[in-house]
Amino acid sequence: MTTAVQPPLPERPPLRLRLAPYGGLPRAIDGAWWPHSDDLLTELPHLLAGLPTAWGHISSVTVNGGAWSALPGRILVVNQVVRLTTNATTAAPHTIVLVAPGEGRWDLLVVPPNATEDAAGPLMSAAGAFR
């Protein structure tokens, strides 16, 4: 019997995430995330895997419904269910809200995937500096 050798899985591009320094006080924006595509089902597991462990298990994610492709109500990420909800408000069209029960809530600015580095760089830096 022979064993087929699987080619290595393609590497994911690096996570483009910039978090504001932890200060214990609530802030309007906790950082910025620049996904590689508008496919949240592909991008979200990579984001959640790159978050600080101190944030705990993210069980709920709210995004602007107009910014992402169609979404189910839940997604399985590393054997844990994450509830996905959409918000159509124009108050924060470019944010993602992450909630971990008993740990907290974090709001990240979402830089559009098609943004150029010249446009995204200042946004990432500014969001990471919010206090």
Side-chain angles (χ1 to χ4, degrees):
M1 176 157 89
T2 60
T3 302
V5 177
Q6 293 289 330
L9 293 174
E11 278 192 36
R12 291 268 315 143
L15 179 62
R16 300 183 294 194
L17 177 67
R18 178 83 187 259
L19 300 177
Y22 179 74
L25 296 174
R27 60 177 72 103
I29 293 291
D30 297 292
W33 174 46
W34 184 16
H36 294 277
S37 75
D38 67 353
D39 181 356
L40 190 64
L41 299 181
T42 298
E43 299 292 338
L44 187 60
H46 194 51
L47 170 64
L48 297 182
L51 295 175
T53 56
W55 286 20
H57 165 65
I58 303 298
S59 65
S60 176
V61 174
T62 302
V63 298
N64 181 287
W68 300 95
S69 53
L71 300 174
R74 294 184 203 112
I75 180 176
L76 188 63
V77 178
V78 192
N79 295 323
Q80 296 186 23
V81 175
V82 176
R83 193 175 118 226
L84 299 175
T85 57
T86 58
N87 185 347
T89 182
T90 57
H94 299 290
T95 60
I96 183 169
V97 178
L98 310 170
V99 176
E103 298 294 335
R105 167 190 164 146
W106 296 272
D107 293 32
L108 301 177
L109 171 72
V110 178
V111 177
N114 60 351
T116 65
E117 283 204 36
D118 288 342
L123 292 172
M124 298 288 287
S125 294
F130 271 76
R131 293 183 189 265

